Amino acid sequence: MRETSFNTGKFFALIIVAVLGIFMISPFFDTGSGKKISPRLENLKDRVSLHYGLKNVNDASKNIEECQGDYYTCREGVKCNNVIYKETADAETGPANLVTSIVLDYRAFDTLGEITVLFISILGVALLMTGFPALPVKNESMIQSAGAKFLVPIIMLVGIYIFLHGHLTPGGGFPGGAVIATGFLLMFMTSGDYNFRSRRFKTVETAAGTIIVALAIAGLIFKDSFFANFLPNGRLGDLFSSFLIVIIYSLIGIKVGSELSVGLRNLYTGEKDD
Amino acid sequence: MSYNSAILLIAAPLLMAFLSFILGIFNKRIPAILLVLTLSFNFYFSTYLLTLVSSKGVLVSVISGFEPPFGINLVLTYFSLLLLSLIYLIILSASVVFVSKKTDENTVKVATLLFLFTAAASGLLLTGDIFNMFVFFEIFAVANISLISLKKNKTSLKGSFKYLLLSSIGSAFLLFGIGMIYGTLGTLNIAEIGLRFYELSPLTGAFIFIMFLGAILSETETFPFNFWITDSYKGARNFVNILLGSASSVAALYIFFRLFFTIIGYPINNRYEFLISMDARLIIALISAISVIVSEIGALSSKSVKRILAFSSASQMGMILFAFSISDFNSFSAALTLIFNLSLSKAILFLSSHEIMKGAKEKNIESFTGGLGRNPVFSALFIFGSLSMVGFPLTLGFYGKISLVASAVSASGYFSILVFVILLASAAELFYYFRLMHKLFVSEQNHTEKTKMNWFYAASGSLLLAVMIILALMPKFTERIVSSAAGDMMDKTTYIERVLKAEDLK
Amino acid sequence: MLLLIMFIFLFILIFLSALFAVLAKDLLFCVISLGVMSLATSIVFFILNAPDVAITEASVGAALTTAIYVFGVRRTEREEK
């Protein structure tokens, strides 16, 4: 066991964290009247996400518009359409992976915001690291660099699989991009002669971002709403289905991968173009 | 016709932000010029939407084709569009200052940051979805942090790190509150949460209230955080000060309003007339009163001009929060007038004080000495800004403060006692602004050489000044826009009805 | 039963590694124990039927964040004062 240190500052920090933790757990033991958080999903009927799962959001909103009565009973009276894997065609969202259909269809605008959060953080890192002296990159041992050269293609392949298959299996643009960035990280940490060109990565990244926003604006032009799905959805569960989502997820994967690689490179050696 | 194209207010700066790196390869000036063009477009479009909203009421704009509460939607209200136009005006004036600077290696990146700042501000003010608001809150915070750290000396890095810590803790709290709302009510739409918030059990409601309070206090520079936030003003560059002191404050106040008055509201009398509960209002009023006192003491005791201006900004924010906490029609219009006054005159003050202190070694009060001889134009701007700030008659600050005092006196409860704090604070403000103005006239040497005139600064200052003079000299016009916006703020029922498409809630 | 034992083991691992990250004097050890915490958390996410979150947590929390912290330690000092 290594040496540890404990001082009054850490003691008070721990106490504050403990108090905050107790406060955060307290709603779970709430016994008052009214709605409260519960481990069982008792309130699934009122939830918006129920309709995400059943893929009948458009029916639900149409139902609310048609019946002029109470808002909640209108929402409950939506008929349940059967969504069957490999049979349902042209559902309102294409992906078989439920998370993807929420992330890139029902709440696509949030995902655009998250991309922007990552973009601006890496931009902030680049701005911060411009004045810092560059640390030299050491040549590591032969075993390390050879092992990295063996591992990196496999890592890249896994990353590409994760974002290309994101509409069918767990995964998607963000984790796929992060895995790809791990590959580049391994590459430039182990072999000092690896020629990492920041500028090319940045160009790829900003071009991908531009295309994503342009596709979203194309939705505004063709279907009169930002991020609307204007390409066919295909049969649920097929590899070639929900085309727009596959395209956007691939772009996000490319963008996140190159972005994180540039950010890590900046932190490793200091910011410079090429 | 649908109003879905309102998304362009967010999408246009976002597209430009992604494009600007590619365009910057050819020429570093292009993104900076595009910035001014985009902001002009946004300002024009938002005023166009404002006229549309004033005739048609609250409008809803749908994203990705899913109607609220299922998808994300933008809500165009008179209040949000008014503040948005104000923010665009301020960012426009700050970006004119930015364009005048010489290009260096960071120009493209800073232009990208300003594009993202614009997009985040638009998103914050327009969105009708609370998680979406959180996402834009994050972008906004990171944009502020990066802008503060631009100077890269010790003070600026320290200020930016403090801001980073506070805002990340704040966003974590906001996320906890949002998670609790989603866990209990199962929705993220602001209108639906506002409709159903009273169904929550009291402990859960209090938890959400405290989480939101913790999230927003650091953004609005209120009491426990005002000492740490003011450090970030001191180290930042000039146009960043304008953005931080004016645009960020306006956006923070808007988030405060949406979180506490649209979401947390309890039904009074009948089911669809909402008011935040008296206890919650008293907590906000007490915090804001303490914040006003502490900031005024800080401003009186500090020597650095930027710190004085920052503390005065914090005390004005406290006053606006106090006006919010009274929460009747008159106090909301007072708050709006004060928001206009704060953002416009604070931008003018930061702009002109920078030019007056140019060339001085230490940027404290002494460097103001003989400013009128050196730099008459900017001294005049500074004098006008500070007169409006202290609430001199015939300025915007006068109308704001007098209606705030009037509404506080007529309000029930402790608000009429707390109004003394406001009066004391105004007296303190009078003291330190007149001390600064006095220094401008005093001159030790007889021969003063004039500093070189910076036309870009003058243009951006006079743009803001023109808006201020128009608003101050046309009280009827100002009153009309302010009372429409205040009416919009009071009317939560229409907001909910329009968003949820339930015409017969009444 | 096996799942329960695994759960308890993972929670103890998460708790201990978090505590060690706070208390250790050597900052590199803090960083590594944070990485261990992220990895254990990602397994918990996987058991709780959230494979999407598990993949993200494993790649971002265990790999990238650890790397960023290590770069930070490399630029500053290794021992806490």
Side-chain angles (χ1 to χ4, degrees), chain A residues 20 23-24 26-27 30 32-37 43 46-49 51-52 57-58 60-61 64-65 68-69 71-72 75 92-93 105-107 109-110 112-114 116-117 119-121 123-124 126-128 130-131 199 202-203 206-207 209-210 213-214 217 220 224-228 255 271, chain B residues 2 4-5 7-8 10-11 14-15 17-19 21-22 25 62-67 69-72 106 109-110 112-113 116 129 131-132 135-136 138-139 142-143 146 149-150 152 157 173 176 180 182-188 192 195-196 199-204 207 210-211 500-501 504:
Chain A
L20 208 62
F23 182 63
M24 279 177 181
S26 66
D30 190 357
S33 62
K35 276 194 194 311
K36 47 191 166 287
I37 198 141
N43 54 355
D46 321 339
R47 282 179 170 269
V48 177
S49 50
H51 302 284
Y52 292 163
V57 162
N58 283 338
S61 46
I64 289 172
E65 224 169 294
Q68 293 287 318
Y71 176 68
Y72 296 103
R75 219 162 87 181
E92 69 179 19
T93 61
D105 225 339
Y106 293 116
R107 303 192 64 85
F109 193 51
D110 275 349
L112 185 65
E114 291 296 345
T116 318
V117 171
F119 178 68
I120 195 170
S121 325
L123 190 71
L127 271 170
L128 199 63
T130 30
R199 174 163 268 188
K202 277 184 201 158
T203 316
T206 44
T210 315
V213 181
I217 292 179
L220 184 67
D224 191 35
S225 106
F226 195 69
F227 256 119
K255 183 171 164 55
E271 146 82 7
Chain B
S2 73
N4 292 349
S5 55
I7 187 73
L8 284 180
I10 305 168
L14 209 55
L15 186 68
F18 289 136
L19 261 181
F21 178 79
I22 300 171
I25 294 173
V62 175
I63 296 172
S64 54
F66 298 108
E67 298 283 330
F70 303 106
I72 300 170
N106 280 342
K109 286 171 194 156
V110 179
T112 314
L113 271 183
L116 290 173
D129 185 284
F131 187 76
N132 204 235
V135 169
F136 283 115
E138 268 189 331
I139 301 175
V142 181
S146 317
S149 73
L150 276 186
K152 259 191 268 167
L157 288 178
F173 279 160
F176 282 130
M180 190 52 93
Y182 190 64
T184 48
L185 296 177
T187 182
L188 290 169
E192 202 188 346
L195 181 67
R196 295 170 62 191
E199 292 174 12
L200 288 179
S201 91
L203 181 62
T204 310
F207 178 84
I210 290 174
M211 283 297 154
L500 297 184
K501 293 235 168 88
D504 53 344

Side-chain angles (χ1 to χ4, degrees), chain B residues 32-329:
Chain B
I33 292 163
L34 270 179
L35 178 67
V36 176
L37 288 179
T38 311
L39 279 166
S40 318
F41 163 75
N42 270 18
F43 181 69
Y44 169 75
F45 195 44
S46 68
T47 44
Y48 165 72
L49 286 173
L50 192 65
T51 52
L52 213 63
V53 163
S54 67
S55 62
K56 293 192 175 169
V58 178
L59 299 175
V60 179
S61 153
V62 175
I63 296 172
S64 54
F66 298 108
E67 298 283 330
F70 303 106
I72 300 170
N73 58 309
L74 305 183
V75 187
L76 314 176
T77 64
Y78 194 89
F79 172 52
S80 59
L81 282 172
L82 186 68
L83 291 192
L84 199 58
S85 314
L86 182 66
I87 287 179
Y88 287 147
L89 192 72
I90 290 154
I91 303 178
L92 186 63
S93 67
S95 60
V96 167
V97 172
F98 163 68
V99 166
S100 74
K101 295 244 164 37
K102 268 196 226 100
T103 53
D104 57 357
E105 52 184 353
N106 280 342
T107 308
V108 178
K109 286 171 194 156
V110 179
T112 314
L113 271 183
L114 289 175
F115 276 125
L116 290 173
F117 186 91
T118 317
S122 326
L124 272 178
L125 267 75
L126 288 179
T127 184
D129 185 284
I130 191 166
F131 187 76
N132 204 235
M133 184 185 265
F134 167 75
V135 169
F136 283 115
F137 187 82
E138 268 189 331
I139 301 175
F140 199 64
V142 181
N144 274 336
I145 292 159
S146 317
L147 283 172
I148 293 165
S149 73
L150 276 186
K151 234 180 182 177
K152 259 191 268 167
N153 52 23
K154 201 178 165 193
T155 341
S156 119
L157 288 178
K158 208 169 117 190
S160 129
F161 190 67
K162 278 176 182 172
Y163 200 99
L164 170 70
L165 277 183
L166 284 178
S167 66
S168 49
I169 292 171
S171 353
F173 279 160
L174 187 60
L175 191 61
F176 282 130
I178 293 170
M180 190 52 93
I181 285 179
Y182 190 64
T184 48
L185 296 177
T187 182
L188 290 169
N189 189 283
I190 289 179
E192 202 188 346
I193 298 167
L195 181 67
R196 295 170 62 191
F197 196 82
Y198 73 97
E199 292 174 12
L200 288 179
S201 91
L203 181 62
T204 310
F207 178 84
I208 292 167
F209 177 80
I210 290 174
M211 283 297 154
F212 282 174
L213 204 62
I216 203 66
L217 283 188
S218 64
E219 287 291 316
T220 52
E221 306 168 5
T222 347
F223 161 57
F225 304 113
N226 48 4
F227 286 104
W228 301 340
I229 292 288
T230 45
D231 279 3
S232 49
Y233 281 88
K234 205 180 161 197
R237 266 161 71 172
N238 186 33
F239 68 93
V240 180
N241 275 328
I242 299 172
L243 291 176
L244 205 63
S246 305
S248 302
S249 311
V250 176
L253 286 169
Y254 179 83
I255 306 167
F256 181 87
F257 179 80
R258 275 283 171 258
L259 289 184
F260 286 100
F261 292 86
T262 308
I263 289 178
I264 303 178
Y266 286 89
I268 309 269
N269 303 328
N270 66 56
R271 201 177 142 197
Y272 297 110
E273 195 177 310
F274 298 90
L275 201 61
I276 188 167
S277 75
M278 189 65 192
D279 300 338
R281 279 160 60 203
L282 258 183
I283 291 172
I284 296 168
L286 275 175
I287 289 174
S288 57
I290 295 171
S291 151
V292 167
I293 297 171
V294 172
S295 321
E296 294 295 350
I297 291 171
L300 282 175
S301 61
S302 49
K303 281 268 184 286
S304 154
V305 175
K306 274 189 178 176
R307 272 184 87 91
I308 291 178
L309 292 180
F311 272 122
S312 130
S313 168
S315 96
Q316 289 278 328
M317 296 285 272
M319 279 186 205
I320 295 166
L321 290 188
F322 180 70
F324 272 159
S325 72
I326 301 170
S327 61
D328 57 9
F329 183 82

